[in-house]
Amino acid sequence: MKMEKHRVSINVNGKDYSEEIEPRTLLVTFLRDIAGLTGTHIGCDTSNCGACTVIMNGRAVKSCTVLAVQANGSNVLTIEGLSKDGDKLHPIQKAFIEKKGYQCGYCTSGMILTALALLNRKRNLTEDEIREALSGNLCRCTGYDSIIDSIMLADSEMAKTEKEEEIFVEA
Amino acid sequence: MNLDEKFVKGRGQFVGDISLPNTLYLNFVRSNYARARIVKVYGGITHKDVALKVSSVGEGGEGGFGSIAHPVLASNFVAYVGQPIAAVYAEDPYTSEDLIDSVQVDYEPLKAVVDPEKAIDFEPIHPGLKSNVVVDRYFGNDFEIDADIVVEDRFVNNRIATDPIEPRGIVCNYDGKRLTVWTSTQSVFSIRGGLSEVLGIPESDIHVIQTDTGGAFGLKGGMYPEYIVASYLAMKERRPVKWIETRREHLMASRPGRGVIGKIKLFADRKGYIQGLKGDVIVDNGAYSGGSGEFSSMFVARQLAGVYKIERAYVRARAVLTDKVPQGPYRGAGRPEAMFFIERIIDRLADELNMDPLALRLKNATTENYKSPLGYQIEPSRNFIEKAGEVLEYQKYYPRGNCGFSVGILYHATSGGESARIRVKDGKVTFWLGGNAHGQRHDVWGKMLIQEELGVDQSIIEFMNGDSDALESGIGTWGSRSAMVGGSALVMAARKLKKKVEEANGEYSTTALLSGEWDEYEYFDYDKTESSLCANLVTVNISDLPKIRVEKCRAYYDAGRVLDPVYAAGQNAGGSAEGIGQVLTESLSFNDEGQPLIASIADAGVLTADLLPRFEVKFYKSESTLPSRAKGIGEAPTIGVPTALSRAIERATGLRIRETPLSMEYLMKAIKN
């Protein structure tokens, strides 16, 4: 089923990627196979698990159910854009290490980006607010406790560090 | 880069991330029918190309092929929806998926048998078999007894998907001499052994590399048809071949866990002493061997006395073929089922006697090692149960009427031992383990044990993923065994290394170690099955029925020496969430024609954060006699949480809980009442 190709340009983590693609190409395929950014994972194909979560134009989206053509001209932030190699880790990444917010590591990228979108929206979160916000991301290993602790720590750390320096990442 | 930094930066290398030039993308044409004769297949790679069968390796595997071995690609018959019939491939994944529709299969549908109890007397699903009952064994001795009280019930743990967030996958490449395989696995050695057996090539010609493994829970220890076709195609085309499972494929064609029925009868006197136990265990094996149905039927039966001293016991174990995907191990793999059956009937007996369930448990616990007539050694449980009652605050919570309590025994799969290797080079320490981590953080406890034995700083120790070329042999990560036998192999390797450094330098020092080059492989031989005790307390809120909210989920485990309390708590939290899922939401149901009714991970009922409580765990002070001094923990929560939660719901709603998951219809009865 060959399809007519379309040129799609997406800015990912501050870099422009432009490619002729079939219109059925998913954003997650564009990110992984064309941009080569494999930190965005595929878990369920039905937008339930959130392993493919990225930030598109400031909003968390599940890249397995967004067509790349829909993202044409968009700014996308993936996990790789949160801290480029050599750069220091984002407070959310640090908090996930500190609070041991993962076991197998597969859902982690999606969890971190969902947390980023959440913290961009609201601060001083309660545990219930975090649980609610995570309801689109599945983790089969942790029972979520350590992920929630990570986000709570990031919440308080970000409040501290932002006063001193600009570390906030916007996509 | 250490593991932590790797995963928070999105720099893990999972099997889907392996991208070799010139790769062919593989897909499968799967059966639409649970039972059918295949008249003709038009197109694709078929059984005519790959006339092989799947060997039974890994956790619960039988070894070899057996009479009900799974054909890699179906020939004349299909026996479950999702069974691979043909394979297609293309230069890119999208085109490959398109090609699935290019293959046409002519079927002649037959009547399927879905219910294992019906399958016992149904015509055999495979030609040449006399019966669908493939295991029929008795454990213990039959007895007759005139007891004051007899309670009897039938319990069911329905099938559930393992559902790691990363599905299965494999990348194969062949250079004309050796087959190299990258895969998401619990055991590179099972994969190597299985491929060697099936393809008929020596193990030395197969190199299996474990990619980062995004959860497994029992799923990724064995051999599967897709791995064999991928290997075949890579060898035939001399090009890399990649296959990544979709979630839908996972839900229909990956081996699910549970699927066990337990009929159990207790004989007791009026004081509450259990005088005898009779049982009948039926495992829904699915259509072929290769999973763990045959093994688990006997495994469940042998554990059926739980932690109790019951002098007379007689249990029948059967594994029955059905027109469903073969059953496989899932976290606990036979242990949760056995403890569900015995603990649920103990609660029933307590109600019958109008006795406190903790008191009843204590009455029947053992104060010394006791060999159950069913075969297993039961360790002294009385003291542990007493402590568990105190630590979990039984007296505070149980009287409230929304609380359940359970105890269990976790038999660790320590038998067979495990391997480890430590290499010192250029001032750095690198280690490998025979069993492959998939979220258990072998890196964390491995570094700790090496630091403890060799005195080197953890920052210069690196943990490597599984690699069949890095170690001579090994077993795998399952059955709560790794910290025990894997940890012990590592400790023994470190001690040997220390001795060598001593011999070479007169005395041991980290400077002498790190300035030299050393390489130590150790196979820690172990032939015993170890065990440890576990207890759980759960409370529920049913004010919003049919929604059930778990409020407290507490655990008390004998984990031996706890190598890392935070990650041990993480094992409890994850396993407890799965235990809650098993009772409340997780299912893998089929209609009468054998069509799966579950098509997404949401349908399958994997729980989200907003539906779960905080998890609490405390540890019983003990040490194992193994060099690592640890005991296993991974499966403890899936053993105890389902039964404690079922009791809590039972008491809160007044409905007997006999089956997981709870059905909505059944719960509606409580609302009406």
Side-chain angles (χ1 to χ4, degrees):
Chain A
M1 194 172 72
K2 286 285 166 208
M3 292 178 172
E4 192 191 330
K5 291 192 172 183
H6 296 258
R7 177 151 296 276
V8 167
S9 303
I10 305 173
N11 182 288
V12 187
N13 304 331
K15 191 176 160 191
D16 287 320
Y17 295 86
S18 184
E19 188 82 15
E20 296 266 332
I21 57 166
E22 291 184 22
R24 63 176 173 173
T25 307
L26 297 170
L27 176 58
V28 70
T29 310
F30 188 96
L31 295 171
R32 289 177 53 86
D33 297 352
I34 295 167
L37 299 167
T38 57
T40 305
H41 298 148
I42 301 169
C44 71
D45 316 306
T46 49
S47 72
N48 296 121
C49 82
C52 64
T53 305
V54 298
I55 312 280
M56 185 169 117
N57 299 330
R59 288 180 58 205
V61 298
K62 288 174 176 173
S63 61
C64 80
T65 33
V66 174
L67 293 168
V69 292
Q70 291 176 285
N72 190 23
S74 296
N75 292 320
V76 171
L77 177 76
T78 72
I79 190 71
E80 291 90 345
L82 209 50
S83 89
K84 294 183 185 68
D85 250 357
D87 284 3
K88 63 180 183 183
L89 294 172
H90 187 276
I92 302 176
Q93 291 171 312
K94 276 194 214 162
F96 268 73
I97 294 175
E98 171 79 25
K99 291 289 175 186
K100 308 183 176 185
Y102 73 89
Q103 287 175 26
C104 80
Y106 198 75
C107 74
T108 314
S109 310
M111 289 289 179
I112 290 176
L113 290 170
T114 298
L116 177 68
L118 171 65
L119 291 166
N120 275 351
R121 215 167 50 234
K122 196 166 186 290
R123 293 301 178 80
N124 291 316
L125 297 158
T126 65
E127 177 165 341
D128 282 347
E129 285 173 322
I130 296 174
R131 285 186 183 273
E132 191 60 39
L134 286 184
S135 65
N137 291 67
L138 293 175
C139 169
R140 189 69 156 157
C141 295
T142 62
Y144 305 100
D145 278 357
S146 60
I147 294 173
I148 290 158
D149 291 341
S150 303
I151 297 172
M152 288 180 126
L153 176 64
D155 191 358
S156 60
E157 286 300 309
M158 282 164 77
K160 273 188 233 161
T161 47
E162 269 154 32
K163 287 176 194 150
E164 295 156 25
E165 50 183 323
E166 197 65 35
I167 49 120
F168 215 69
V169 182
E170 290 275 8
Chain B
M1 194 184 297
N2 72 32
L3 223 58
D4 285 323
E5 234 173 81
K6 182 165 91 167
F7 289 136
V8 302
K9 284 182 168 176
R11 294 180 152 284
Q13 266 247 304
F14 295 93
V15 62
D17 305 336
I18 305 282
S19 185
L20 302 176
N22 223 15
T23 293
L24 293 171
Y25 295 84
L26 184 63
N27 263 296
F28 289 86
V29 178
R30 297 174 184 278
S31 175
N32 294 325
Y33 293 95
R35 188 152 186 251
R37 200 169 72 81
I38 296 179
V39 181
K40 200 167 163 69
V41 182
Y42 305 87
I45 299 170
T46 68
H47 76 280
K48 288 179 184 150
D49 308 292
V50 191
L52 300 170
K53 293 198 166 183
V54 183
S55 63
S56 177
V57 295
E59 182 182 13
E62 296 290 293
F65 295 97
S67 60
I68 51 164
H70 193 310
V72 170
L73 294 168
S75 51
N76 300 318
F77 287 91
V78 283
Y80 65 91
V81 173
Q83 184 176 343
I85 296 171
V88 293
Y89 60 94
E91 306 283 331
D92 74 275
Y94 281 55
T95 310
S96 174
E97 215 171 311
D98 289 342
L99 286 174
I100 296 173
D101 292 337
S102 72
V103 176
Q104 191 197 321
V105 183
D106 289 350
Y107 301 93
E108 190 184 291
L110 299 166
K111 176 139 183 58
V113 61
V114 181
D115 178 334
E117 285 177 305
K118 284 186 185 148
I120 291 172
D121 298 315
F122 193 84
E123 64 172 302
I125 66 163
H126 300 305
L129 283 183
K130 288 204 177 79
S131 160
N132 288 320
V133 181
V134 288
V135 171
D136 192 355
R137 291 265 310 269
Y138 289 86
F139 295 89
N141 292 307
D142 201 1
F143 60 89
E144 277 183 42
I145 187 171
D146 193 13
D148 296 342
I149 289 173
V150 180
V151 286
E152 124 172 72
D153 220 328
R154 176 182 175 277
F155 301 105
V156 185
N157 281 180
N158 283 299
R159 285 183 163 205
I160 40 183
T162 55
D163 267 330
I165 307 303
E166 179 204 36
R168 290 186 293 128
I170 195 163
V171 175
C172 300
N173 197 18
Y174 184 64
D175 65 4
K177 289 192 192 101
R178 282 191 105 199
L179 177 68
T180 305
V181 170
W182 291 262
T183 189
S184 176
T185 187
Q186 298 167 242
S187 170
V188 292
F189 295 104
S190 291
I191 302 295
R192 184 179 74 176
L195 285 176
S196 163
E197 206 165 33
V198 177
L199 299 168
I201 53 178
E203 287 194 350
S204 54
D205 288 349
I206 304 171
H207 181 195
V208 182
I209 300 163
Q210 183 206 15
T211 53
D212 285 325
T213 297
F217 313 108
L219 171 74
K220 297 171 180 171
M223 186 47 47
Y224 278 95
E226 296 89 350
Y227 302 171
I228 296 157
V229 178
S231 301
Y232 155 83
L233 187 62
M235 293 174 80
K236 182 170 172 268
E237 295 292 331
R238 293 277 175 99
R239 288 177 64 176
V241 173
K242 183 171 184 173
W243 174 72
I244 303 292
E245 182 181 62
T246 64
R247 184 60 52 181
R248 195 159 164 268
E249 288 181 296
H250 173 78
L251 294 169
M252 63 178 172
S254 267
R255 293 175 201 128
R258 311 288 184 264
V260 186
I261 298 164
K263 295 178 213 168
I264 186 164
K265 196 176 195 176
L266 288 183
F267 303 81
D269 67 15
R270 295 220 179 273
K271 290 179 196 148
Y273 287 104
I274 301 167
Q275 296 159 314
L277 175 159
K278 289 192 186 187
D280 187 359
V281 173
I282 297 169
V283 172
D284 179 354
N285 184 89
Y288 299 101
S289 62
S292 62
E294 293 157 90
F295 167 78
S296 72
S297 61
M298 297 180 274
F299 188 44
V300 172
R302 293 175 72 196
Q303 296 175 74
L304 216 53
V307 301
Y308 308 107
K309 183 175 175 176
I310 302 175
E311 283 168 10
R312 299 179 193 83
Y314 189 52
V315 179
R316 185 180 194 180
R318 282 178 284 184
V320 184
L321 296 175
T322 56
D323 286 306
K324 289 190 277 192
V325 59
Q327 189 249 30
Y330 167 61
R331 198 166 187 166
R335 302 163 184 87
E337 295 91 322
M339 296 308 138
F340 190 85
F341 304 152
I342 180 67
E343 289 293 291
R344 296 279 44 234
I345 197 85
I346 293 269
D347 282 334
R348 180 82 199 262
L349 178 62
D351 292 344
E352 211 71 36
L353 290 161
N354 203 15
M355 188 185 264
D356 175 71
L358 176 61
L360 178 63
R361 285 177 167 90
L362 284 169
K363 195 162 258 192
N364 290 285
T366 167
T367 49
E368 74 273 358
N369 273 315
Y370 181 71
K371 185 150 170 48
S372 156
L374 301 173
Y376 272 133
Q377 192 77 26
I378 298 167
E379 59 182 289
S381 52
R382 199 190 148 87
N383 182 40
F384 178 85
I385 298 172
E386 218 160 44
K387 282 287 287 184
E390 286 165 29
V391 172
L392 299 174
E393 296 183 287
Y394 179 91
Q395 298 304 346
K396 178 176 168 189
Y397 289 103
Y398 197 81
R400 293 185 190 176
N402 64 339
C403 175
F405 171 80
S406 73
V407 292
I409 184 160
L410 163 54
Y411 289 102
H412 314 114
T414 42
S415 178
E418 193 52 281
S419 66
R421 177 183 166 198
I422 304 174
R423 189 184 68 192
V424 182
K425 203 179 166 191
D426 304 325
K428 290 206 177 342
V429 181
T430 308
F431 74 102
W432 292 262
L433 292 165
N436 308 141
H438 43 282
Q440 295 86 352
R441 302 305 304 264
H442 291 8
D443 60 316
V444 172
W445 56 255
K447 286 179 189 182
M448 186 203 116
L449 290 173
I450 291 175
Q451 179 181 37
E452 203 170 77
E453 294 295 326
L454 296 175
V456 294
D457 195 88
Q458 289 196 25
S459 63
I460 59 160
I461 308 173
E462 191 182 8
F463 170 68
M464 304 299 283
N465 277 352
D467 185 327
S468 68
D469 274 9
L471 294 158
E472 283 164 35
S473 65
I475 305 281
T477 290
W478 51 67
S480 304
R481 69 197 308 277
S482 290
M484 300 183 77
V485 284
S488 295
L490 198 59
V491 168
M492 297 312 282
R495 288 180 189 168
K496 274 192 180 170
L497 199 55
K498 195 170 184 180
K499 206 161 179 215
K500 281 190 182 165
V501 176
E502 265 169 20
E503 280 163 10
N505 294 276
E507 58 173 8
Y508 177 80
S509 69
T510 52
T511 319
L513 174 80
L514 296 173
S515 58
E517 277 197 21
W518 315 90
D519 203 335
E520 197 61 48
Y521 168 81
E522 169 75 11
Y523 199 103
F524 178 72
D525 264 321
Y526 204 72
D527 62 2
K528 278 193 285 193
T529 295
E530 292 289 330
S531 68
S532 61
L533 298 164
C534 45
N536 294 85
L537 181 141
V538 177
T539 68
V540 293
N541 179 338
I542 61 152
S543 59
D544 196 17
L545 276 179
K547 265 192 198 155
I548 292 172
R549 189 96 215 177
V550 174
E551 288 185 331
K552 293 233 170 287
C553 190
R554 292 186 159 182
Y556 183 57
Y557 301 141
D558 174 7
R561 177 167 72 130
V562 179
L563 300 182
D564 185 296
V566 177
Y567 285 114
Q571 285 292 309
N572 174 58
S576 295
E578 289 173 321
I580 294 172
Q582 178 183 329
V583 175
L584 297 185
T585 49
E586 292 194 41
S587 76
L588 207 52
S589 49
F590 296 80
N591 72 6
D592 292 342
E593 278 81 51
Q595 291 291 337
L597 299 174
I598 301 297
S600 74
I601 199 168
D603 296 347
V606 173
L607 285 170
T608 47
D610 53 326
L611 302 173
L612 287 165
R614 279 264 162 190
F615 299 100
E616 301 167 69
V617 62
K618 288 195 169 140
F619 296 103
Y620 180 75
K621 207 168 158 49
S622 87
E623 288 194 347
S624 76
T625 54
L626 294 164
S628 70
R629 292 183 274 146
K631 293 185 188 177
I633 184 180
E635 291 162 310
T638 53
I639 289 173
V641 170
T643 170
L645 172 56
S646 296
R647 179 60 172 173
I649 298 167
E650 183 166 280
R651 294 181 69 221
T653 60
L655 288 172
R656 280 271 165 222
I657 307 297
R658 300 183 172 90
E659 190 161 345
T660 65
L662 294 174
S663 79
M664 225 26 114
E665 294 79 9
Y666 194 58
L667 273 178
M668 293 308 277
K669 281 190 195 169
I671 299 174
K672 281 184 197 140
N673 295 341

